[in-house]
Amino acid sequence: MKLGLSSLFIRNHLLADSSDDILAKYRKPSAESSPVKENGHSKKSSKVLKSDNLNQEANSFTDVKKKLRLVLGNTSEIPYFIKQNPCSMKIKLETILRLEMGKARKLREWSSAARIAEALRCVQLLDERHCLKLIQSLRADLRLRATYLRYLVSSKQELLFTEMYLNTLQDQIKHDRIQCEFYFASVCVREFLSEQEPLVMAFCDEFRRLSLADEKCDFLQNFYLRLFEIMNENKHWQDVLHKRDFLVKVTLERCIMSRVYFNAIYPNGDGDRDRDRVLHEHIGTLSKSLRPEHKDLLIPSAFLRESPWLPAQEALRALDAARTPRDKLRCVSRCAKCLVDLLGLSGSCAAADDFTPVLVYVIIKVNPVALLSTVQFVNSFNAGQIRGEDEYWWTQFCSAVEYIKTMDYSD
Amino acid sequence: MANSSIAAVSFKVVLLGKGCVGKTSLVLRYVEDKFNGKHITTIQASFLNKKINIDGQRLTLAIWDTAGQEKFHALGPIYYRSANGAVLVYDITDVDSFQKVKTWVKELRKMLGRDMCLAIVGNKMDLEEERQVPVEEAEEYASKVGATHWFTSAKLNQGVEEMFVGLARDMLAKNALAGTLSRQSSIRRNMLVVTDDEPAPAKGCCSSGA
């Protein structure tokens, strides 16, 4: 394509100017460049050399164009004031190149600085008319390449889409891996616990016998430590535990806790159940007549478009199914974050002023069983281990439960 | 103890104040440098962490926003329990909000004594011409109850950073004081144990030291 263009240029050139004119022009600016100078001298003596010479001129023209394109291809933007300036094309070109030169020097990109310096030198050798031709030729190139450019852009776009798709796939696979590891850990832990069955049985009996919550908690933590010690003595388990100790810990907690769950969550048996049932009925009655505009909530109308915040309700429904304090906490955090996201949809940042009443509403609508016992369960078995954001959401949840206790049925 | 100057310290700060005094704007301005961002953001304003560096001491402020509506007032203790500092915000154009701050101060001092650092903040100082709470009254009150007093404008981003940094300095100082006190008491206890168990060698130890 480049060759075709230059030949086109030569033809135009021949038609437009008389050859002597051209030669004269070329001679003057390229006075310092020795090969051209020599050519200039030889031209006078023999007319046969002229076409040869023209070819060389054309070559130097394509050469300059190539250099210029290389440099300008890396230019991000040509300043507006240069585009609008009425000065000559040559000055414009030189200004642009000098600006690029400055940039390259500042960034210490020496190789591109050298290229720019070379292009600048070549441009300085040309005169105004030639510069205009150069620009025209570059423009024609651009037009010819437009289709190719469009093709490149769409290819790039497609590549980006493919990359995104592959990244999603990779994420899914990663997630599958986590899931598999989780199942693997739970199978291993169950296997391990079935081997330790007498120990677990003894633990369960002793756990039920203890009456004070902090005693139960200490006893449980010590039992976990003991089980970990037993695991660590086994070579086979050391391999499993390697980099998976958190996963194993979580699974172990789930298995042990589900064995003593009802005793742990209702340490006082029927007394606790009765207390929970009273609150459950209270919330049930509240729920029947509850609207977001209730006098104790007064949720601003700006946030009502996402009402009744179903995804957050769904997240909170898992609370009863969760068996360990850790899982219950996670469930509450998930519900809270979900609410924040939903409230965020209304366009403003969800502050506590907006969040607390909506959380109260969601808890009432979900009406989890054993609410009071759950709060007590998490606080006594996870005391001091709740940190950071989880602690904040958990506090919000506890305070919402406290608030619900004080609500009455008048609208 | 020696490590505490290098290790990051975490302080819990609760924001208390009547609704609409600009608690949220204040904390958003401080943590995200945003005011009333209308664009959709995923960030929430109720719990924010801010890492700061004071004289080479790195610390994290966990800032807890609380619902300011009067009906939620009774829930206060659940939030400010175990907090190191409280930011009590009032609106300088709203006398009522200043009264609310006084109620909070009274409650906090009653429940937690002097353990907590208090910063009383007059927000919306950009509405100076509509001021209803006199400067002298507010500053006098703050010094009387042992709190620092600040004027801020979340809208114009004035005084916000200074206020939080000032509070952080107070909390650091209080923390260091508590640290040295507990260290002293633990040393004293150790001494007692030694003299109780073996009186004679302890005596010798003392005389050799003297």
Side-chain angles (χ1 to χ4, degrees):
Chain A
M1 203 181 287
K2 214 188 286 170
L3 260 171
L5 269 174
S6 46
S7 62
L8 193 79
F9 169 73
I10 295 162
R11 222 177 300 135
N12 285 345
H13 211 201
L14 285 169
L15 289 174
D17 303 270
S18 81
S19 38
D20 281 337
D21 271 358
I22 305 165
L23 294 180
K25 260 171 234 149
Y26 275 67
R27 220 169 294 140
K28 214 194 300 170
S30 56
E32 296 103 319
S33 129
S34 51
V36 181
K37 204 173 172 183
E38 277 170 22
N39 284 339
H41 285 301
S42 55
K43 250 173 269 159
K44 271 180 194 165
S45 52
S46 120
K47 285 230 164 190
V48 189
L49 275 171
K50 201 189 269 170
S51 65
D52 240 21
N53 190 33
L54 260 177
N55 259 335
Q56 255 184 334
E57 295 294 345
N59 277 340
S60 83
F61 181 83
T62 27
D63 183 52
V64 173
K65 197 168 83 174
K66 201 181 82 189
K67 285 172 183 164
L68 206 57
R69 192 161 55 209
L70 206 65
V71 170
L72 293 180
N74 291 324
T75 318
S76 51
E77 202 203 347
I78 292 169
Y80 184 71
F81 66 88
I82 294 181
K83 280 190 206 161
Q84 293 308 107
N85 208 316
C87 66
S88 70
M89 187 53 82
K90 182 174 169 172
I91 293 176
K92 278 187 192 179
L93 257 181
E94 284 179 10
T95 319
I96 292 166
L97 288 175
R98 289 212 174 90
L99 280 175
E100 286 302 305
M101 184 74 164
K103 259 189 248 173
R105 277 193 180 147
K106 198 154 75 183
L107 298 174
R108 295 174 188 282
E109 291 167 345
W110 300 122
S111 58
S112 81
R115 275 200 295 272
I116 298 167
E118 172 58 19
L120 187 61
R121 188 187 66 84
C122 292
V123 170
Q124 274 167 343
L125 296 180
L126 301 177
D127 67 351
E128 173 62 16
R129 204 144 62 138
H130 228 85
C131 280
L132 276 174
K133 284 229 168 70
L134 198 66
I135 293 293
Q136 267 165 14
S137 159
L138 280 171
R139 215 171 260 156
D141 276 12
L142 204 65
R143 265 199 295 277
L144 276 170
R145 284 156 191 241
T147 329
Y148 179 59
L149 265 179
R150 269 199 299 278
Y151 162 74
L152 279 182
V153 168
S154 68
S155 304
K156 177 81 183 173
Q157 209 171 22
E158 243 164 70
L159 277 176
L160 284 173
F161 272 125
T162 314
E163 194 189 7
M164 195 176 77
Y165 172 70
L166 287 176
N167 281 340
T168 335
L169 277 186
Q170 202 178 8
D171 280 351
Q172 283 174 7
I173 291 168
K174 218 183 277 171
H175 203 84
D176 281 353
R177 203 195 78 188
I178 294 170
Q179 204 64 24
C180 286
E181 287 213 336
F182 169 72
Y183 283 127
F184 173 64
S186 67
V187 166
C188 288
V189 166
R190 253 181 238 135
E191 183 72 17
F192 169 76
L193 285 179
S194 68
E195 284 166 20
Q196 307 292 331
E197 189 58 29
L199 205 64
V200 178
M201 289 282 270
F203 162 78
C204 290
D205 288 343
E206 180 66 17
F207 187 85
R208 288 197 191 94
R209 207 182 52 75
L210 289 169
S211 53
L212 290 172
D214 55 340
E215 274 178 2
K216 280 189 188 219
C217 184
D218 286 348
F219 186 60
L220 183 70
Q221 297 304 334
N222 287 334
F223 186 61
Y224 287 151
L225 286 179
R226 171 120 184 260
L227 287 180
F228 260 100
E229 267 169 30
I230 297 173
M231 264 186 207
N232 260 324
E233 281 163 15
N234 189 327
K235 179 79 186 67
H236 156 70
W237 265 100
Q238 280 168 6
D239 291 344
V240 177
L241 278 173
H242 180 64
K243 284 186 184 166
R244 291 195 196 91
D245 46 350
F246 181 73
L247 207 61
V248 170
K249 193 176 168 205
V250 171
T251 334
L252 195 69
E253 281 178 14
R254 273 188 198 145
C255 288
I256 298 294
M257 198 41 114
S258 59
R259 295 284 287 265
V260 290
Y261 179 70
F262 288 104
N263 189 263
I265 196 162
Y266 304 115
N268 306 314
D270 285 344
D272 288 331
R273 283 174 211 263
D274 284 346
R275 188 183 58 166
D276 283 331
R277 207 190 53 243
V278 171
L279 185 65
H280 190 73
E281 282 164 6
H282 167 66
I283 296 176
T285 321
L286 271 176
S287 176
K288 271 179 213 146
S289 61
L290 189 77
R291 284 177 301 116
E293 303 85 18
H294 188 274
K295 67 164 171 53
D296 290 335
L297 300 180
L298 295 174
I299 298 170
S301 55
F303 294 112
L304 290 184
R305 267 171 301 191
E306 291 80 29
S307 159
W309 304 281
L310 283 174
Q313 290 195 25
E314 283 307 311
L316 195 60
R317 286 219 163 81
L319 188 66
D320 295 326
R323 279 294 182 258
T324 61
R326 192 195 303 276
D327 290 343
K328 285 188 191 286
L329 256 180
R330 208 174 54 162
C331 181
V332 168
S333 281
R334 200 177 286 165
C335 165
K337 281 175 190 160
C338 187
L339 258 190
V340 165
D341 286 339
L342 288 174
L343 292 176
L345 284 179
S346 68
S348 60
C349 253
D353 285 359
D354 319 312
F355 176 82
T356 311
V358 181
L359 182 64
V360 170
Y361 180 87
V362 167
I363 295 175
I364 291 175
K365 283 295 169 192
V366 173
N367 196 3
V369 291
L371 205 49
L372 294 174
S373 299
T374 300
V375 170
Q376 207 174 34
F377 172 68
V378 174
N379 282 339
S380 53
F381 285 101
N382 227 353
Q385 289 174 44
I386 319 174
R387 288 266 174 276
E389 201 168 344
D390 281 343
E391 187 187 5
Y392 179 75
W393 298 126
W394 178 247
T395 309
Q396 280 278 5
F397 180 75
C398 293
S399 80
V401 173
E402 283 302 307
Y403 187 68
I404 291 169
K405 281 200 239 171
T406 67
M407 285 173 74
D408 57 36
Y409 309 128
S410 58
D411 206 342
Chain B
M1 263 303 143
N3 289 338
S4 72
S5 57
I6 307 152
V9 186
S10 178
F11 287 130
K12 172 176 160 185
V13 177
V14 282
L15 285 172
L16 299 168
K18 197 182 155 186
C20 304
V21 293
K23 294 190 298 279
T24 313
S25 309
L26 210 61
V27 71
L28 269 187
R29 172 60 91 185
Y30 179 55
V31 179
E32 304 278 331
D33 201 9
K34 268 185 197 131
F35 180 78
N36 196 18
K38 281 276 175 202
H39 40 279
I40 290 184
T41 45
T42 48
I43 64 152
Q44 40 86 18
S46 21
F47 175 85
L48 290 164
N49 268 322
K50 174 86 173 176
K51 287 192 169 68
I52 54 173
N53 191 327
I54 290 181
D55 307 332
Q57 164 81 63
R58 272 186 299 161
L59 51 102
T60 312
L61 297 181
I63 305 172
W64 288 38
D65 192 9
T66 61
Q69 294 95 317
E70 188 55 43
K71 54 180 181 278
F72 294 124
H73 183 95
L75 304 176
I78 306 180
Y79 291 98
Y80 60 66
R81 197 179 47 197
S82 79
N84 304 86
V87 176
L88 302 138
V89 193
Y90 70 92
D91 175 352
I92 63 163
T93 69
D94 180 359
V95 180
D96 224 34
S97 67
F98 189 60
Q99 288 308 319
K100 181 81 185 171
V101 164
K102 287 185 176 175
T103 343
W104 276 122
V105 170
K106 234 175 268 165
E107 188 179 328
L108 289 174
R109 287 299 185 218
K110 199 176 120 198
M111 306 294 287
L112 303 166
R114 296 264 155 188
D115 288 347
M116 188 190 251
C117 298
L118 304 184
I120 298 178
V121 179
N123 195 28
K124 306 199 188 176
M125 66 185 277
D126 45 295
L127 302 174
E128 184 63 43
E129 61 272 22
E130 295 166 44
R131 175 188 282 279
Q132 298 288 320
V133 182
V135 179
E136 306 80 42
E137 191 193 326
E139 283 178 344
E140 209 171 284
Y141 175 75
S143 67
K144 197 181 82 189
V145 296
T148 50
H149 187 275
W150 309 81
F151 282 115
T152 59
S153 165
K155 189 176 177 181
L156 304 178
N157 195 9
Q158 283 172 354
V160 181
E161 172 108 29
E162 290 85 340
M163 183 268 289
F164 276 105
V165 170
L167 181 66
R169 278 185 199 282
D170 284 356
M171 290 190 294
L172 266 181
K174 193 152 275 187
N175 197 35
L177 194 68
T180 49
L181 281 180
S182 70
R183 195 164 24 165
Q184 275 169 3
S185 65
S186 70
I187 289 166
R188 212 170 295 141
R189 210 181 307 127
N190 282 344
M191 295 270 290
L192 273 173
V193 168
V194 171
T195 45
D196 268 4
D197 284 345
E198 293 160 278
K203 216 176 192 175
C205 211
C206 283
S207 57
S208 70

